[in-house]
Amino acid sequence: MIKGTSEKIFESYHSEIKKAFGLDIISEYGATESGIIAYECIEGNMHLNMEGVLVEEVDGEIIITNLQLQSFPIIRYQLGDYISLAPRDKKCACGMNHLILEEVTGRIGENVYGIHNTYPSLYFYYIFKNLSKREHLNLNYQVIQDKKGVLEFRLEQEINDIEMTLLRDEIKVYFKQDILISIFTNVKLLAVNGKFKSFISNVKL
């Protein structure tokens, strides 16, 4: 088994890992406060670890209760992630009856500052998800903001002119003309204190 944890597993990772090891990568989602929250089955769905943690979705935010800690219980803790839970009656072809976590959509509390308006960093998730779903364009990305109204998009891959236009058009859907953007391709993504972040803000208000 090859397991990916701590960081988001991008679509493009699967083919590279299978090429290197002959196996696909399996995702899991967890936190220090809760242990493993969800894990991927053979059908590709993320099932909740219902034996170890209770998961609630309140206004799109995950709330967790740890069922295993005895000396220091964690009860209805706001973990700081936006999520999407599948309907309770959704069944998986793998046969497990554990509830399904559809998506971990982003972190709470990270803002993007335009020239005039403020936006949630969750927009980046949807920009690249839309490109993947609609155009089958899977990109590993990182966005950096050093000053208000300006964003730098960094991509690990090289993309052609058509793909560049698709990306720019999708960005404009969310930020209109309120932010100036620059896009750099075929670059190494940065780590902060040894941990990868899809959005890095250096804006001082």
Side-chain angles (χ1 to χ4, degrees), residues 12-28:
S12 59
Y13 290 4
H14 291 269
S15 59
E16 292 297 320
I17 289 172
K18 197 162 188 176
K19 187 190 306 179
F21 300 105
L23 295 171
D24 201 358
I25 188 171
I26 298 169
S27 295
E28 71 174 18

Side-chain angles (χ1 to χ4, degrees), residues 69-84:
L69 295 177
Q70 296 182 16
S71 60
F72 193 87
I74 302 292
I75 301 172
R76 304 203 75 230
Y77 178 74
Q78 293 176 281
L79 198 56
D81 286 341
Y82 286 117
I83 64 163
S84 175

